[in-house]
């Protein structure tokens, strides 16, 4: 242990004596050490947060099928169902072709009933036939999309929007098929009688 002595001015001297400058310097060093430790902790925490953020931003690799094919099939089913109800350019061209064939095959001396049947009736049935084909295709594609999860990865559910669109395609297909059959059999909007 050091000895302490006081001089005439009252200042303490000796091994344990400290001046105001030494006290201030020691306090500044302590404060500087604390600030450095705080900054280091903040940087380490920020670095950890940045590492966590990088880990969170890494892409998640999905296992198994993504459902893109099922989604595309559902959309195709719905589109085919709409075409079956509204008609498409294929059915329009087929009907125009059937009208032309009817005009060429019917003589001008044929009675009115024969002319109506050959020129307009066959074209009407051709339009109904094409609408029925589109409706049947919509129905089949929609049913395949809805049945696909039963044959896929077990436990992987099908996306809700895929189910909804596929059910829409199936419903449009059923309605289109029903209307096509009614048009083809002349039950719905049949040809007028020319008697």
């Amino acid at each position: 242990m050091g000895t302490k002595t006081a001089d005439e001015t009252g200042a303490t001297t000796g091994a344990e004596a400290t001046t105001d400058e030494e006290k201030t310097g020691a306090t500044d060093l302590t404060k500087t050490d604390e600030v450095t430790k705080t900054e280091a902790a903040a940087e380490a925490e920020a670095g950890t947060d940045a590492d966590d953020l990088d880990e969170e931003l890494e892409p998640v690799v999905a296992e198994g099928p993504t459902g893109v094919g099922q989604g595309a099939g559902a959309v195709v089913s719905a589109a085919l169902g709409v075409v079956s109800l509204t008609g498409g350019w294929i059915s329009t061209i087929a009907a125009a072709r059937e009208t032309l064939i009817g005009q060429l095959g019917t003589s001008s001396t044929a009675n009115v009933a024969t002319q109506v049947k050959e020129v307009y009736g066959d074209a009407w049935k051709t339009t109904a036939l094409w609408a029925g084909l589109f409706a049947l295709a919509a129905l089949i594609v929609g049913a395949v999309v809805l049945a696909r999860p039963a044959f896929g990865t077990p436990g992987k559910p099908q996306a809700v929007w895929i189910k909804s669109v596929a059910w829409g395609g199936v419903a449009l297909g059923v309605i289109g098929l029903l209307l096509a059959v009614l048009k083809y059999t002349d039950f719905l909007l049949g040809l007028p009688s020319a008697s």
Side-chain angles (χ1 to χ4, degrees):
M1 257 177 108
T3 60
K4 256 197 222 184
T5 57
D7 64 0
E8 294 153 1
T9 60
T12 312
T13 59
E16 294 180 3
T18 56
T19 62
D20 290 338
E21 293 171 358
E22 289 176 346
K23 286 181 184 177
T24 306
T27 305
D28 286 344
L29 286 176
T30 306
K31 285 183 182 176
T32 306
D33 288 343
E34 287 176 6
V35 170
T36 306
K37 288 178 183 176
T38 305
E39 287 175 357
E43 288 175 7
E45 186 177 312
T48 304
D49 290 343
D51 292 341
D52 291 343
L53 186 59
D54 288 342
E55 290 174 7
E56 290 175 9
L57 294 178
E58 289 180 10
V60 177
V61 179
E63 295 180 12
T66 60
V68 173
Q70 294 176 30
V75 171
V76 167
S77 172
L80 288 171
V82 169
V83 169
S84 74
L85 294 176
T86 61
W89 65 271
I90 293 176
S91 62
T92 304
I93 291 172
R97 181 178 182 275
E98 198 61 40
T99 300
L100 183 61
I101 290 171
Q103 288 173 347
L104 293 173
T106 307
S107 67
S108 58
T109 59
N111 64 14
V112 175
T114 304
Q115 286 180 357
V116 167
K117 181 192 173 301
E118 291 297 323
V119 175
Y120 300 107
D122 291 345
W124 180 251
K125 289 190 180 210
T126 301
T127 303
L129 180 66
W130 278 101
L133 290 175
F134 278 111
L136 187 61
L139 186 61
I140 291 170
V141 171
V144 167
V145 168
L146 289 172
R148 173 65 177 100
F151 304 105
T153 307
K156 181 158 178 139
Q158 190 175 42
V160 175
W161 74 268
I162 293 175
K163 286 181 184 178
S164 299
V165 175
W167 275 114
V170 168
L172 289 172
V174 168
I175 293 168
L177 194 58
L178 178 65
L179 290 175
V181 168
L182 292 175
K183 285 190 293 187
Y184 193 83
T185 59
D186 289 334
F187 188 77
L188 179 68
L189 299 172
L191 288 174
S193 63
S195 42

